[in-house]
Amino acid sequence: MKYVFKVLQITIIVFLWLSSGYAGIHDTTTVTDIDGNVYHTVALGNYEWMAENLKTTTYNNGRKIAHIADSITWANLNRGAFAWYNNDKNNADSLGLLYNWYSVNTGDLCPCGWRVPTDEEWKYLEGYVDSKYGVGDPVWNEKGLRGYDAGIKLKATAGWRPGWVATDVFRFTALPGGEYLNSFHGLGTSGFWWTSTENDSSSAWYRNLVYSLESVDRNNHPKRMGFSVRCLRDK
């Protein structure tokens, strides 16, 4: 009788843990953009995030996003645009596209009902997944590398330079899509993601994950940079 009760007790504990917010790993669903690209999504706390980088070439209102292949033209833009890493369309399949912040700022980049996360929403994500610093901890307001192991938990287990730990325990599956301004950099070693939050008239906030680092970098860069984009919506 004691044995049966103990098994029942353990079963209940496991069930409650799997149902709890900490487990964090929920059944994934999908969302489709205006171009017909289908993305896996994952629920994390108060939000549902795309688990893949955006790769639409069309705003959700049907207007085409400018594709700029020439680096000199790109570096002098003040309007929305995208590029494929190394101008190779095949890179879009797994890594998505690189967008400047002007395309983010249109408010029309993500599928209808979705949005590019703010700086505060990225802070929430970091606190939600980090083992040491929770949601709302002042550490997330700092500039530069912050937190404890959020980077490890957000990075995909494949696609990064090998030899470094990544668990993707929350199925966010962050990939190193690199960056673009005068040239392309960082493929396989760094991922950069825009927030929708402006820093000043010429720069905006972003997040950066590096293959060899456990934490997440928060900083601002010129709006002309080409970074990856993730979209989210309220649960």
Side-chain angles (χ1 to χ4, degrees):
M1 190 67 174
K2 286 184 178 180
Y3 174 78
V4 173
F5 177 76
K6 190 67 174 178
V7 170
L8 180 61
Q9 186 180 43
I10 292 172
T11 302
I12 292 172
I13 290 171
V14 170
F15 173 79
L16 290 174
W17 181 84
L18 289 173
S19 302
S20 69
Y22 172 77
I25 305 173
H26 306 277
D27 291 338
T28 57
T29 57
T30 61
V31 60
T32 304
D33 68 25
I34 194 170
D35 285 344
N37 299 304
V38 180
Y39 307 86
H40 291 288
T41 71
V42 61
L44 297 168
N46 294 336
Y47 305 103
E48 183 179 2
W49 286 77
M50 281 185 177
E52 304 173 52
N53 291 340
L54 190 67
K55 49 189 172 185
T56 185
T57 61
T58 311
Y59 293 114
N60 63 30
N61 58 13
R63 185 165 58 94
K64 298 299 287 186
I65 307 170
H67 170 220
I68 306 297
D70 178 69
S71 61
I72 296 176
T73 303
W74 177 279
N76 290 284
L77 286 174
N78 58 6
R79 60 187 176 93
F82 79 87
W84 295 297
Y85 192 95
N86 276 342
N87 291 319
D88 183 352
K89 190 174 182 178
N90 293 323
N91 283 320
D93 291 338
S94 59
L95 299 172
L97 306 184
L98 298 175
Y99 301 91
N100 63 18
W101 192 80
Y102 299 107
S103 61
V104 172
N105 195 44
T106 64
D108 299 321
L109 190 57
C110 294
C112 291
W114 294 70
R115 62 185 182 273
V116 178
T118 65
D119 185 45
E120 291 300 317
E121 287 165 340
W122 268 100
K123 291 176 188 178
Y124 178 93
L125 173 66
E126 293 161 330
Y128 185 80
V129 304
D130 199 84
S131 297
K132 187 173 181 181
Y133 302 99
V135 174
D137 194 289
V139 72
W140 304 117
N141 298 324
E142 297 176 8
K143 190 175 179 180
L145 289 167
R146 319 102 69 240
Y148 177 62
D149 62 356
I152 289 177
K153 293 185 174 182
L154 292 174
K155 282 185 277 190
T157 56
W160 294 81
R161 178 180 290 184
W164 301 87
V165 176
T167 63
D168 198 22
V169 66
F170 290 91
R171 294 204 294 242
F172 187 77
T173 317
L175 287 169
E179 61 179 328
Y180 181 41
L181 185 57
N182 298 309
S183 59
F184 296 94
H185 294 286
L187 186 69
T189 61
S190 292
F192 298 82
W193 292 268
W194 280 122
T195 80
S196 60
T197 304
E198 187 178 47
N199 176 56
D200 56 32
S201 61
S202 62
S203 66
W205 292 97
Y206 71 92
R207 293 299 188 276
N208 171 222
L209 294 174
V210 180
Y211 74 100
S212 59
L213 300 178
E214 300 176 354
S215 51
V216 183
D217 178 42
R218 172 181 179 259
N219 221 313
N220 54 76
H221 255 359
K223 297 173 182 179
R224 297 171 294 136
M225 297 295 301
F227 290 160
S228 300
V229 167
R230 290 291 180 99
C231 302
L232 89 169
R233 66 177 178 180
D234 298 330
K235 279 173 56 179

